[in-house]
Amino acid sequence: MSIKFGTDGWRGIIGRDFTFENVARVAQAFADLVQENRVFPKRAGNIILGYDRRFQSPEFANTIASVLTANSLLVERSSSFCPTPTIAWLTKDKKGTAGVIITASHNPAIWNGVKFKESYGGAASPESTMAVETKIEENEKKGRSPSMLDLEEAGKKRLLTGFDPGNDYVTALQQFVALEKIQKSHWKIGFDPLYGAGTGFLSKVLKQDLAEIHQEENPSFGGLNPEPIEKNLKELIQTVRDKKLDVGLATDGDADRIGAVDETGRFVDSHHIFALILRHLVEVRGWKGGIVKTVSTTGMIEQLCRKYQLPLHETAIGFKHICKKFLEVEKPLMGGEESGGIAICQHLYERDGLLSGLLLLEIMAHHERRLGELIRELHQEVGPHFFERNDLHLSETEVEKVRTKLPTKKIETLAGQKVANTNQVDGCKYTLANGSWLLVRPSGTEPLLRLYAEADEPEKVKKLLQAAREILPI
């Protein structure tokens, strides 16, 4: 089968596409590229390897380790499940050649995947992942099978070592935020890792017990998609209300994305979290620098960048595009995306859901206000912003028809409003004269059509989403 990388890594359905054989093929291609010094240039550092809590993730990680060590690469493997940001941060901190983690992030339980991290900790560039795809095909044509080494033998040869993911990375988070101020605030905090790799990490950083739910091992994610959006956080919302908590935080399956719930049990999306953190870094910490966001991210960021006179850069969806832009910007400050990924560049050129949650707690502690109050203040400054995303499950033929035909259609009005600007950086984004916008975009990883909309009233958002369905060429 053909292996193609999406917006962040290669993902497939376990047992159908994501098999031990295919994982070994990916690992062999990666190993070849490292040895050839083409992309993922070989350095003195090791390959940092980790895995999440999905079905057979440890075993898939062992397959990666077996192939890499058979190709004489030095591998450090996590001793237990860990967040993707752990691997990214350790790759950067240890000056590793690259990072590899077994995860399908926020995808449903039937999926698993592989993500690669560049030596600086950021998501593998499009050039790197395309090179892996090409090398897989080359190996197939040559009849080159993956080399594999018994892990016990790899250990004896000192090609394979282990590390505890709860040590250096946790310390780095503690040192990055105002930990003592957060602790002295005595906030009552709820945490929902959605059965994922963030389980236990937030309480370890804060050195306190939390109202943590969904901690147990459950590869089916309790029937939920491990994505920290409102429809998946009903139990966290109820926990915040029942226990009268000050805030609820949530991370996705590999803990690189963030979602939150305010003191009333109202969901707070990543758009508002991005805006709150940006404002805090500039106004309280006094930091400056370039801001990077994807086309599906809130207009609040444009407003704040204008206010603070910060350069703003917009990219296609997928954090690999944000990471690439970080390398091009003279002094990047932070970047973020609609789906919950936020990166603070002084920490890492990669998203980190745990750090984002900790910074929210720092903001609350600094202002001595709970999250709902902070959101109201933000709206007073930039105006109300409401956002919604709809996912349409279509056939691959229908998705391809939208991909090819919609960009050629001239759309002059939507929901009774004039279209002021059309952007085709990634999908088709229509910005209206009143500042509202609609984005229609085929998914890069699944047979889905994603519809995104933002406006100053929830009803206007719904009208835009309905208008999107009316312009689809299917």
Side-chain angles (χ1 to χ4, degrees), residues 1-115:
M1 62 161 280
S2 177
I3 291 175
K4 298 294 182 184
F5 283 69
T7 52
D8 190 7
W10 165 59
R11 302 174 198 180
I13 294 176
I14 300 168
R16 189 190 74 182
D17 313 306
F18 200 84
T19 63
F20 289 103
E21 178 184 3
N22 286 335
V23 168
R25 291 169 63 206
V26 171
Q28 184 62 60
F30 167 75
D32 289 341
L33 292 170
V34 172
Q35 295 289 21
E36 293 168 10
N37 213 35
R38 287 168 52 188
V39 292
F40 305 108
K42 189 174 183 181
R43 304 169 189 269
N46 299 347
I47 308 292
I48 311 301
L49 174 63
Y51 57 91
D52 68 6
R53 300 185 86 186
R54 288 174 180 269
F55 179 65
Q56 291 192 313
S57 280
E59 290 78 11
F60 285 120
N62 286 343
T63 296
I64 296 277
S66 175
V67 173
L68 298 186
T69 54
N71 285 270
S72 301
L73 296 176
L74 303 176
V75 177
E76 288 187 60
R77 180 189 182 277
S78 178
S79 61
S80 65
F81 69 83
C82 63
T84 288
T86 306
I87 299 303
W89 188 85
L90 287 171
T91 300
K92 171 191 171 184
D93 185 63
K94 291 173 174 281
K95 297 180 172 57
T97 295
V100 186
I101 186 158
I102 299 292
T103 182
S105 189
H106 65 289
N107 283 53
I110 61 173
W111 294 75
N112 212 331
V114 179
K115 289 184 181 181

Side-chain angles (χ1 to χ4, degrees), residues 166-467:
N167 290 338
D168 293 349
Y169 167 71
V170 167
T171 300
L173 292 180
Q174 291 170 334
Q175 293 174 345
F176 197 89
V177 299
L179 184 63
E180 187 175 344
K181 183 177 283 189
I182 295 171
Q183 292 170 332
K184 286 182 177 178
S185 296
H186 301 294
W187 298 119
K188 293 179 289 184
I189 304 164
F191 180 49
D192 186 357
L194 289 167
Y195 303 103
T199 301
F201 276 82
L202 192 60
S203 59
K204 188 173 291 187
V205 173
L206 292 172
K207 300 179 182 179
Q208 67 183 77
D209 292 331
L210 309 175
E212 185 167 344
I213 61 174
H214 300 152
Q215 303 177 68
E216 62 271 23
E217 185 173 356
N218 189 331
S220 70
F221 299 111
L224 296 170
N225 280 7
E227 182 177 13
I229 57 179
E230 186 171 10
K231 68 179 182 179
N232 297 328
L233 299 182
K234 292 177 181 177
E235 289 185 58
L236 178 61
I237 289 169
Q238 198 59 48
T239 299
V240 168
R241 289 171 175 165
D242 291 347
K243 296 191 175 184
K244 295 181 170 48
L245 304 180
D246 296 304
V247 66
L249 302 173
T251 51
D252 70 329
D254 66 336
D256 63 0
R257 303 185 185 202
I258 183 70
V261 175
D262 75 8
E263 66 277 10
T264 69
R266 182 171 51 191
F267 176 69
V268 177
D269 62 31
S270 59
H271 300 281
H272 289 85
I273 296 171
F274 188 173
L276 285 173
I277 293 176
L278 171 57
R279 190 175 69 163
H280 180 73
L281 294 182
V282 175
E283 294 188 1
V284 177
R285 291 200 176 196
W287 294 359
K288 296 283 187 178
I291 306 301
V292 184
K293 78 175 191 70
T294 59
V295 294
S296 60
T297 305
T298 178
M300 288 186 284
I301 303 305
E302 281 99 329
Q303 291 180 250
L304 290 173
C305 285
R306 282 195 295 270
K307 176 183 178 180
Y308 302 133
Q309 297 183 320
L310 300 177
L312 176 65
H313 309 269
E314 192 170 72
T315 72
I317 292 172
F319 222 84
K320 62 186 178 183
H321 300 295
I322 293 179
C323 289
K324 184 177 181 181
K325 184 60 68 174
F326 283 155
L327 297 174
E328 298 169 358
V329 173
E330 183 178 351
K331 185 184 176 185
L333 173 59
M334 69 179 295
E337 59 182 353
E338 162 269 331
S339 57
I342 298 170
I344 312 300
C345 295
Q346 289 196 30
H347 168 66
L348 190 63
Y349 281 16
E350 182 59 288
R351 54 196 163 184
D352 190 330
L354 292 167
L355 178 62
S356 298
L358 289 164
L359 284 171
L360 275 185
L361 296 177
E362 178 181 306
I363 294 167
M364 291 168 58
H366 176 82
H367 293 280
E368 298 182 347
R369 293 183 180 86
R370 295 186 296 180
L371 189 53
E373 299 170 83
L374 293 169
I375 295 294
R376 286 190 289 276
E377 289 180 0
L378 179 67
H379 281 181
Q380 288 173 2
E381 182 177 344
V382 299
H385 285 71
F386 297 90
F387 173 90
E388 190 174 336
R389 186 188 88 193
N390 286 176
D391 290 351
L392 302 184
H393 294 264
L394 304 174
S395 69
E396 291 185 6
T397 301
E398 290 173 319
V399 171
E400 188 57 29
K401 188 177 290 187
V402 173
R403 192 191 309 275
T404 57
K405 293 189 174 182
L406 185 59
T408 66
K409 290 185 67 175
K410 187 172 179 61
I411 309 298
E412 297 183 346
T413 61
L414 282 170
Q417 295 289 321
K418 184 178 179 180
V419 174
N421 180 56
T422 301
N423 177 333
Q424 294 185 10
V425 169
D426 190 356
C428 295
K429 183 177 182 179
Y430 308 99
T431 302
L432 308 185
N434 62 6
S436 303
W437 56 267
L438 168 74
L439 172 63
V440 180
R441 173 186 170 271
S443 167
T445 57
E446 303 168 72
L448 291 175
L449 189 66
R450 301 197 190 278
L451 310 177
Y452 314 75
E454 184 178 58
D456 59 1
E457 295 177 11
E459 190 56 38
K460 291 180 182 178
V461 173
K462 295 190 182 303
K463 287 181 179 179
L464 280 172
L465 292 172
Q466 180 57 43

